[in-house]
Amino acid sequence: MQKAQCAVLSVCFLAAAGPARAQSEAALKDYFEGKSVRVKIDMPATQEGIDVYPDARKPLDFGVYSNRLKSYGVSIHNGESVMVTRVRLKEKLIEFQLGGGGYGTFGDDSGTVTAPTASKTQREKDLEKAVKNETDPARKRRLQRELDDLRREREREDAHNKSIAEATSEAKKERIAVTRLHGGSRFNIRYQNGVPPGLEPPGIMRALEEYVDFAPATDVRPQRGPQPREVIPMQPPGGDIRKGMTLEEVEALLGKPTRSTARNEGSVRVVSNTYKRGDEIVTAEFVQGVLTKYSITSK
């Protein structure tokens, strides 16, 4: 009898937990999604993002964090504003997705190209049987030579297919490395004993307060020192820069850079240029001559 009562209570608890979790997720979505935040830490260019453990002694494992930055590069830099694009509440974690959530989600290209293997022709199969059954030495040698020629031809075809696959994979990896840089990232807020029931937006803010500034990107309160802000193209008189422009197009608007540096992010070469425009300083990053990120600060 007691077992039956426990089973009924368990079913009732699970039935109640489902709607409660859905309500909490809906509230978090309504509050955060579509709003801009400013990150206080470089975000790795992958859907793996940054794992944060609010109830642990060390909320962030910097070893894992460093490896992800090294492996995938940076998609959102410290000080940049970005939109919260999705909040997902699961049993033991909350996904706090920024700028698309990071490259590597469902539907993103893995970059792997598999070489097709050449199949044996019917003639090769027939020759294998003939060589096995032939008793005349001279004829057996002729059949073996023909069989060897067919095998070598198949091996050459396999080698050619493998070479094409390797070249295609390398080209796709380079393209994916560029795509990663503007695919966003995410925080995975992980709880050892499950997400606290009824978690509200302030709980998310407390968990991420060391890594995210939740003040609106348009906040005009006095700030100490120059504060970067992302430019939202509004097509003002004379035009403005926007992501996707070529280096030549940017320099046609801003002139030659006052400073230029370069770094490698994986296999991708990133060029960072600094321009002066009136009382503003524009920092722009280019990958293969295409503008991928920029910010503006006051002098």
Side-chain angles (χ1 to χ4, degrees):
M1 183 65 180
Q2 287 181 339
K3 290 183 178 180
Q5 288 176 336
C6 290
V8 171
L9 289 173
S10 298
V11 171
C12 292
F13 175 79
L14 292 173
R21 182 178 293 118
Q23 291 172 3
S24 295
E25 183 178 70
L28 295 175
K29 284 177 172 289
D30 289 342
Y31 187 87
F32 288 112
E33 290 184 358
K35 293 184 179 179
S36 291
V37 297
R38 183 175 289 114
V39 297
K40 302 179 183 179
I41 187 172
D42 287 342
M43 302 290 297
T46 170
Q47 92 288 356
E48 294 177 7
I50 299 176
D51 296 323
V52 177
Y53 300 85
D55 52 2
R57 186 178 63 84
K58 287 182 59 178
L60 193 152
D61 186 329
F62 282 94
V64 174
Y65 168 70
S66 177
N67 287 336
R68 289 178 185 173
L69 286 181
K70 185 176 180 180
S71 298
Y72 302 110
V74 179
S75 62
I76 310 169
H77 289 265
N78 183 353
E80 288 188 332
S81 297
V82 63
M83 180 181 290
V84 181
T85 51
R86 192 173 188 185
V87 178
R88 294 186 65 189
L89 192 154
K90 299 183 178 180
E91 184 178 355
K92 289 192 175 183
L93 71 89
I94 295 174
E95 294 179 1
F96 196 78
Q97 300 186 18
L98 304 174
Y103 192 89
T105 55
F106 179 77
D108 286 339
D109 194 344
S110 66
T112 302
V113 179
T114 303
T117 302
S119 302
K120 291 182 182 180
T121 63
Q122 187 60 48
R123 178 58 179 166
E124 186 176 350
K125 294 177 183 178
D126 292 342
L127 282 170
E128 287 176 338
K129 294 179 181 178
V131 169
K132 184 177 180 179
N133 298 326
E134 182 60 52
T135 55
D136 180 81
R139 179 168 173 75
K140 190 180 185 76
R141 285 192 297 271
R142 288 196 300 271
L143 293 174
Q144 185 64 55
R145 284 195 296 269
E146 184 181 355
L147 177 59
D148 291 341
D149 288 342
L150 289 177
R151 285 174 174 170
R152 283 191 290 269
E153 182 179 348
R154 180 160 54 85
E155 290 170 356
R156 286 193 295 270
E157 184 178 351
D158 282 342
H160 179 66
N161 290 340
K162 183 179 179 181
S163 177
I164 292 176
E166 289 175 350
T168 304
S169 292
E170 191 62 30
K172 291 182 75 173
K173 287 178 182 177
E174 292 180 2
R175 177 179 57 78
I176 288 172
V178 175
T179 304
R180 281 185 179 278
L181 296 178
H182 47 82
S185 191
R186 69 180 66 185
F187 287 97
N188 300 305
I189 309 171
R190 300 182 180 275
Y191 297 87
Q192 296 177 2
N193 298 318
V195 176
L199 185 67
E200 297 183 350
I204 301 294
M205 294 182 185
R206 285 193 298 271
L208 298 179
E209 62 184 351
E210 293 294 322
Y211 321 107
V212 178
D213 179 3
F214 287 93
T218 55
D219 195 343
V220 294
R221 291 175 296 175
Q223 303 285 342
R224 293 184 179 180
Q227 297 295 318
R229 58 183 175 84
E230 185 174 0
V231 176
I232 302 176
M234 299 296 291
Q235 296 184 353
D240 208 338
I241 62 173
R242 64 183 183 278
K243 293 179 182 179
M245 277 185 163
T246 64
L247 175 63
E248 292 75 17
E249 291 173 335
V250 172
E251 292 186 354
L253 290 172
L254 304 180
K256 293 295 182 182
T258 57
R259 184 170 177 268
S260 182
T261 59
R263 68 180 189 276
N264 289 325
E265 291 190 0
S267 60
V268 179
R269 190 72 167 169
V270 180
V271 176
S272 179
N273 289 345
T274 301
Y275 304 88
K276 289 184 179 179
R277 180 175 62 177
D279 61 349
E280 296 178 327
I281 296 176
V282 181
T283 302
E285 290 189 356
F286 300 85
V287 176
Q288 294 185 347
V290 177
L291 180 63
T292 58
K293 290 182 181 296
Y294 61 93
S295 63
I296 295 179
T297 59
S298 301
K299 285 184 180 179

